[in-house]
Amino acid sequence: MRQSQRGARLAIARARCQSARVDNSAALPRPRRFLPSGPLRGTIRVPGDKSISHRSIMLGALAVGETRVSGLLEGEDVLATAAAMRAMGASVERLGEGEWSVHGVGVGALLQPQAPLEMGNSGTSTRLLMGLIASHAITARFTGDASLSGRPMGRVIEPLSQMGAAFEASEGGRLPLTLRGAWPAVPITYRLPVASAQVKSAILLAGLNTAGITTVIEPVPTRDHSERMLRGFGADLSVEIVDGERVIRIAGEAELKPQTIEVPGDPSSAAFFIVAALVVPGSELLIQNVGLNPTRAGIVTVLRQMGGSIDELNQREVGGEPVADLLVKHSALTGIEVDPALAPSMIDEFPVLFVAAALAQGTTVTTGLDELRVKESDRLSAMAAALTGAGGRVTEQADGLTIEGTGGELLRGSANTATQTHLDHRIAMSMAVAGLASRDGVEVDDTRPIATSFPMFEALLDGLAS
Ligand code: S3P
């Protein structure tokens, strides 16, 4: 197809997406059947990284003066963070597409919110903001949707309680919950019992307004965006490796300096298009602006081990993070045993990896994935059910899935039974990708959750798939 036609199609698809965004506020589910696709060819650009977008608004809101952010992800999760920071006194303004201006109040100067903080579907907003508020003299109530209200918060309640914060949580340490922050809070040294960047970040953010040194020990490294950005804003933060563990120390009563931040593209969003291009015959896709921080890039490593052709072009740095354009070509994939040590660097990418495995030659074995059971849904059981429903051969274990691939044959698809996405954006997008490589298409029960992390997903896909 000629470039101009493709451009026009993308523009139409974008316009459709705008109206779809309006529909997202509707109470009714928005089911959709994702149809088999011809080759995916062309160039796309992925939206801003969700983790980095949350953090740029939060830290901007704590720095006195104006922080300018470009490439911000305007997904519902990040908008929940923006609304919460406004409710606590910061000015957070949209200037244009992805262009935001944040005027912060200063560390220690957050205001008491006058209404409950509505977190929607966003675990990152909830856990990181619990950390921020824990060391302020603020009482805040956190509420969320059905998915978020089922997720464990004990993992942040425990260390933040040690710092002096008090919690009244729903049964099982869940939302809705009320947090009474402590000021002054007590610095702690905390070894993470679960590999979680959210827990690490919550403690570091609480440490910002806590006199003395707050220390987090990470036996297994997780995404390090908080450390990079805290340093960038001028916090006194050090990282040392001691006996193979990362020891992160932050000095409290920090003064943050406003920054200009360019948010790199989200590798977790790129992953859907990487897998789509690998599994749909004849595809050749250039995905621009993909963040390749080593703590996030496990999916690229694993897909290459499976035989995927993924080339990194135009390697550069954006916002202090490594970025490249990825040229992805349809490839015959082979099943592998995925090294569980890679899990933290691709924790959000397993649903779409399972789709790749379902289309590979031979068996893929994944283990050590207990954490997937407490994401936006139980992603092991949700993906086992979804792929089985689409004709995949999947066995579910306590901590992983074993998948027998089709060897490149199309999946049967699920024309008559809708895939249950359980309010989980990544299940919806993964099964959309499965639909492209199926005979009958894949019916997804509700596409609205996609807007939490990737509002343009369907528009980009519709612009490519023919
Ligand atoms: C995130 C950390 C991860 C990830 C989530 C975003 C972050 O969660 O699953 O989507 O921005 O810190 P955990 O740290 O709980 O594994």
Side-chain angles (χ1 to χ4, degrees):
M1 175 183 291
R2 288 206 328 272
Q3 266 327 94
S4 57
Q5 280 174 301
R6 183 169 297 282
R9 250 183 33 191
L10 269 172
I12 293 165
R14 270 197 199 104
R16 259 196 239 131
C17 182
Q18 291 301 330
S19 52
R21 277 165 86 166
V22 174
D23 284 352
N24 285 331
S25 60
L28 290 178
R30 196 154 53 83
R32 174 167 172 188
R33 184 148 159 218
F34 290 92
L35 298 172
S37 164
L40 305 176
R41 293 180 159 270
T43 300
I44 59 167
R45 193 177 168 83
V46 283
D49 187 279
K50 184 153 76 73
S51 294
I52 297 174
S53 296
H54 281 297
R55 287 157 172 82
S56 59
I57 291 184
M58 288 181 197
L59 295 189
L62 292 176
V64 177
E66 185 185 21
T67 288
R68 287 292 277 264
V69 188
S70 61
L72 188 93
L73 169 67
E74 294 174 343
E76 288 170 0
D77 281 10
V78 176
L79 299 182
T81 289
M85 297 320 299
R86 271 191 214 110
M88 292 188 284
S91 135
V92 185
E93 261 181 275
R94 184 179 193 267
L95 306 176
E97 202 180 317
E99 300 287 327
W100 287 66
S101 163
V102 183
H103 282 89
V105 293
V107 171
L110 291 176
L111 301 178
Q112 169 69 45
Q114 296 306 309
L117 301 176
E118 173 49 62
M119 300 284 92
N121 191 254
S122 180
T124 309
S125 310
T126 308
R127 295 191 177 122
L128 271 56
L129 289 173
M130 283 167 70
L132 263 189
I133 293 172
S135 57
H136 282 74
I138 282 180
T139 297
R141 184 152 177 85
F142 288 81
T143 59
D145 72 3
S147 152
L148 184 59
S149 303
R151 298 182 66 186
M153 296 299 150
R155 54 182 60 196
V156 278
I157 291 176
E158 198 209 312
L160 298 176
S161 300
Q162 288 180 22
M163 296 181 81
F167 294 85
E168 281 158 37
S170 301
E171 211 186 318
R174 292 170 209 272
L175 259 52
L177 68 72
T178 300
L179 155 54
R180 277 175 239 293
W183 193 81
V186 185
I188 58 169
T189 295
Y190 193 78
R191 175 180 273 100
L192 293 179
V194 278
S196 168
Q198 293 181 348
V199 178
K200 166 177 68 177
S201 304
I203 301 166
L204 294 175
L205 291 174
L208 269 180
N209 195 38
T210 302
I213 307 287
T214 296
T215 306
V216 181
I217 303 169
E218 238 192 355
V220 178
T222 64
R223 65 190 68 190
D224 64 356
H225 306 303
S226 294
E227 295 93 305
R228 287 177 189 242
M229 200 181 285
L230 279 162
R231 273 222 199 95
F233 271 85
D236 180 0
L237 180 142
S238 68
V239 181
E240 199 189 342
I241 308 294
V242 180
D243 298 333
E245 300 184 326
R246 283 180 89 234
V247 179
I248 308 149
R249 296 186 182 87
I250 187 161
E253 299 178 301
E255 212 170 284
L256 300 186
K257 292 187 271 310
Q259 300 297 306
T260 298
I261 299 172
E262 194 182 343
V263 180
D266 197 326
S268 301
S269 296
F272 301 106
F273 287 94
I274 298 174
V275 171
L278 290 176
V279 299
V280 175
S283 298
E284 181 166 333
L285 198 56
L286 183 67
I287 309 173
Q288 293 178 322
N289 187 38
V290 184
L292 291 173
N293 178 318
T295 63
R296 296 288 299 284
I299 184 70
V300 175
T301 307
V302 167
L303 289 170
R304 281 185 183 140
Q305 289 170 354
M306 294 174 77
S309 167
I310 307 171
D311 289 333
E312 285 169 43
L313 312 179
N314 191 14
Q315 292 170 325
R316 57 203 185 271
E317 236 189 49
V318 172
E321 301 266 350
V323 166
D325 301 334
L326 299 183
L327 180 63
V328 188
K329 295 183 191 148
H330 169 251
S331 308
L333 299 178
T334 310
I336 59 164
E337 253 181 60
V338 178
D339 179 358
L342 287 170
S345 67
M346 55 178 292
I347 196 67
D348 292 335
E349 285 66 78
F350 280 96
V352 79
L353 175 74
F354 297 147
V355 174
L359 288 148
Q361 174 75 51
T363 310
T364 297
V365 181
T366 59
T367 52
L369 302 181
D370 327 60
E371 271 297 298
L372 292 197
R373 297 213 180 266
V374 292
K375 293 293 179 188
E376 285 82 329
S377 69
D378 174 343
R379 287 181 172 162
L380 292 180
S381 78
M383 282 307 294
L387 281 172
T388 304
R393 284 175 296 163
V394 183
T395 317
E396 182 180 347
Q397 275 95 31
D399 68 341
L401 300 185
T402 299
I403 300 179
E404 296 291 334
T406 60
E409 295 291 311
L410 296 178
L411 286 166
R412 182 196 66 227
S414 62
N416 302 320
T417 33
T419 298
Q420 303 283 311
T421 51
H422 305 279
L423 290 177
D424 189 331
H425 53 136
R426 300 202 195 278
I427 305 296
M429 289 186 276
S430 298
M431 292 312 292
V433 172
L436 304 180
S438 71
R439 281 201 313 270
D440 301 340
V442 166
E443 176 83 14
V444 165
D445 66 347
D446 192 2
T447 54
R448 289 172 306 166
I450 291 173
T452 61
S453 69
F454 199 167
M456 291 292 288
F457 173 77
E458 287 178 83
L460 278 177
L461 197 63
D462 294 343
L464 287 170
S466 45

